[in-house]
Amino acid sequence: ETGVTQSPTHLIKTRGQQVTLRCSSQSGHNTVSWYQQALGQGPQFIFQYYREEENGRGNFPPRFSGLQFPNYSSELNVNALELDDSALYLCASSLLGASRNTEAFFGQGTRLTVV
Amino acid sequence: AQSVTQPDIHITVSEGASLELRCNYSYGATPYLFWYVQSPGQGLQLLLKYFSGDTLVQGIKGFEAEFKRSQSSFNLRKPSVHWSDAAEYFCAVGAYSSASKIIFGSGTRLSIRP
């Protein structure tokens, strides 16, 4: 158990729709990152949020967007869903600090299927 | 370019045999290296990590990894595998300062022969 929780666990959406995935970070962590893991591949970095601001982005189009809230939980929003967006979406929380950084702790993921 | 290569897509070993999973990385700065394990449909569990110090690091579940800077490698080893070790293993690299902006390899699927 990492203390990182994601919801929902599974989701089916239709092409063109919008989806919101949620992540609660581990207590004491201030940073959330999102990853997309297509079937049979390694996770790919989407973006990171630190203190409610985007703090780095991978090679994903603008229809992938996010938010981080004052309690450090986070949302991933995907607009205009495409079939290729079908994947396991992983959230990872960590602590970035002046004197100490932690590694990433991952949630169990949300399995998104676009039909 | 920053990347991680896991040359073995699928490995099968007999229960009780030794295991080595290979990983090579390309990273411009001092790397923060990880091995994660993923069971089917599950999230990622950290096995071990390396940033500095002793180049042989011990992790959970009896795994260890050795960092070799000259070879840009970070291979994972276990002296005797158990059937419960069957899973997908991912090598990853990042920067210590960013904690969770991580580049993953494509993974090695480990099967255990009874």
Side-chain angles (χ1 to χ4, degrees):
Chain A
E1 286 290 324
T2 63
V4 181
T5 58
Q6 293 186 240
S7 62
T9 54
H10 295 83
L11 200 54
I12 300 175
K13 288 286 191 179
T14 303
R15 188 171 46 183
Q17 284 187 314
Q18 178 265 344
V19 69
T20 298
L21 310 182
R22 295 179 175 82
C23 173
S24 294
S25 59
Q26 183 168 312
S27 177
H29 285 182
N30 57 13
T31 303
V32 173
S33 299
W34 286 91
Y35 290 80
Q36 181 195 65
Q37 186 179 18
L39 200 60
Q41 298 182 22
Q44 288 196 299
F45 175 72
I46 302 175
F47 43 56
Q48 181 185 80
Y49 277 82
Y50 170 63
R51 293 185 174 178
E52 303 178 55
E53 298 280 337
E54 188 177 291
N55 184 41
R57 188 180 185 93
N59 189 27
F60 281 82
R63 58 190 186 84
F64 285 78
S65 63
L67 284 173
Q68 187 180 33
F69 301 99
N71 66 355
Y72 302 120
S73 66
S74 176
E75 288 182 354
L76 164 65
N77 298 290
V78 187
N79 293 322
L81 283 166
E82 300 176 0
L83 297 179
D84 284 349
D85 296 332
S86 296
L88 181 67
Y89 287 85
L90 295 164
C91 165
S93 82
S94 56
L95 172 68
L96 285 181
S99 60
R100 175 173 174 261
N101 295 338
T102 69
E103 68 272 17
F105 292 84
F106 284 82
Q108 295 293 88
T110 294
R111 172 72 63 187
L112 173 65
T113 302
V114 182
V115 297
Chain B
Q2 301 169 348
S3 65
V4 176
T5 301
Q6 294 181 249
D8 303 307
I9 297 172
H10 183 206
I11 285 181
T12 300
V13 299
S14 298
E15 190 167 17
S18 63
L19 170 71
E20 182 169 24
L21 302 182
R22 296 182 291 165
C23 172
N24 292 93
Y25 68 90
S26 173
Y27 199 73
T30 302
Y32 194 6
L33 293 158
F34 310 88
W35 275 98
Y36 285 89
V37 62
Q38 186 177 41
S39 297
Q42 299 297 307
L44 297 165
Q45 181 181 23
L46 181 67
L47 287 176
L48 47 79
K49 63 184 186 287
Y50 173 80
F51 180 66
S52 64
D54 191 346
T55 57
L56 184 64
V57 293
Q58 302 298 319
I60 63 171
K61 303 185 180 187
F63 285 93
E64 66 179 25
E66 185 172 13
F67 171 63
K68 293 185 177 180
R69 184 184 300 276
S70 62
Q71 298 176 21
S72 297
S73 69
F74 189 56
N75 294 349
L76 182 72
R77 301 195 293 248
K78 187 170 184 178
S80 176
V81 298
H82 186 262
W83 65 267
S84 60
D85 293 325
E88 189 89 20
Y89 291 80
F90 293 96
C91 180
V93 65
Y96 181 74
S97 61
S98 65
S100 55
K101 293 180 199 175
I102 301 169
I103 299 166
F104 285 85
S106 54
T108 297
R109 183 160 62 93
L110 175 64
S111 297
I112 306 297
R113 191 184 301 118

